[in-house]
Amino acid sequence: SGCIEKVDPKDLNLLISYDTRRITSFIHEPNELVKDLIYLGNKGYNLVLLAEEKNVKVKVPYGFILTTEIFRCYTLIKKYRELWEHYEKIIKERIKILEKLTGRKFGSAKKPLILSVRSGSAISMPRMMNSILNVGLNLEIVEGLAEESGNLWFAWDTYRRFIQSWAMAHGLPRDFFNNLMRTHKRRYKVKKKKQFTGEQMKELALLYREEISKQGVPIVDD
């Protein structure tokens, strides 16, 4: 009752209808309460169908979907601390399950778990969707990824993609990065980025990081 007393009366109906049983679904073990296009969005729903299809040879990665129940009640979740803390708790619990499924550890430099956070909707929304690739990397973890993979180019290209997608989600245009890429290619006299050495790709990724910082985009390393 103490929590209810703090709720704005205008928010009460939405709060009463908010169903925490419906806020997430795993791709490979979908939540039967939300197993439809409206809750999972086009992208999530089709991943669930692919994961269930026995004859499809494409391996669907492990993951979970934050459903449109979150979107429907997001103003409430942002507004009330108890709801936000519960939301974060659920996400952390789901990530722990992904760690067990993959044998990897989120936030660890040794065998790191790396996530792609992709937007989706039940209907097409051109130019409205953001994706943030390779979440879970920072300067320490990317070095661990380079050591594990034995491929410096791959590790730092993965970090470069994180930095770019993160900054674009904060409003920087793609051309900002295209210009940095073109300048770097001219500097090392290559036509394609795959021709960079590992050290050159590391230099480019760190340049991306430095330049978005100058633009005021916050860089989260934790």
Side-chain angles (χ1 to χ4, degrees), residues 89-214:
K89 177 173 175 283
I90 292 296
I91 291 174
K92 289 174 181 176
E93 287 174 355
R94 301 301 182 262
I95 289 175
K96 289 290 183 189
I97 293 171
L98 293 185
E99 289 177 338
K100 290 179 181 177
L101 289 168
T102 59
R104 309 186 75 83
K105 180 78 172 173
F106 188 73
S108 170
K110 186 176 181 181
K111 296 197 74 176
L113 175 67
I114 302 167
L115 306 174
S116 287
V117 183
R118 298 180 178 272
S119 304
S121 63
I123 57 173
S124 177
M125 298 176 69
R127 297 181 298 280
M128 293 297 290
M129 301 284 100
N130 285 323
S131 290
I132 304 180
L133 307 179
N134 306 325
V135 173
L137 287 177
N138 59 23
L139 295 178
E140 177 188 1
I141 294 171
V142 72
E143 293 283 9
L145 184 63
E147 184 176 344
E148 180 193 353
S149 65
N151 189 330
L152 192 66
W153 188 100
F154 158 74
W156 284 98
D157 185 53
T158 302
Y159 186 67
R160 178 191 66 81
R161 288 171 180 272
F162 163 68
I163 290 292
Q164 178 170 334
S165 60
W166 175 261
M168 288 176 63
H170 282 78
L172 283 186
R174 187 178 295 276
D175 280 350
F176 179 85
F177 298 98
N178 289 344
N179 290 335
L180 291 175
M181 176 70 76
R182 281 194 288 267
T183 300
H184 207 61
K185 285 177 179 176
R186 284 196 297 269
R187 179 179 181 185
Y188 288 107
K189 298 179 174 60
V190 302
K191 291 185 178 181
K192 298 182 179 180
K193 70 176 185 227
K194 67 182 180 181
Q195 296 172 308
F196 289 137
T197 66
E199 286 294 343
Q200 289 164 357
M201 180 56 76
K202 177 178 179 179
E203 183 183 336
L204 180 60
L206 293 175
L207 178 65
Y208 275 28
R209 180 184 167 99
E210 179 183 351
E211 291 299 320
I212 72 164
S213 182
K214 289 179 183 177

Side-chain angles (χ1 to χ4, degrees), residues 30-78:
N31 179 349
E32 294 296 331
L33 293 173
V34 296
K35 194 178 171 184
D36 63 50
L37 185 63
I38 298 301
Y39 275 109
L40 300 182
N42 237 315
K43 198 176 294 178
Y45 183 63
N46 281 294
L47 282 172
V48 167
L49 294 181
L50 276 173
E52 288 180 336
E53 180 58 56
K54 304 300 182 188
N55 296 323
V56 174
K57 294 182 180 179
V58 176
K59 180 172 172 56
V60 179
Y62 292 114
F64 63 92
I65 300 155
L66 297 172
T67 74
T68 54
E69 182 71 1
I70 292 287
F71 175 78
R72 185 176 73 86
C73 301
Y74 195 63
T75 53
L76 279 187
I77 295 167
K78 287 279 285 184

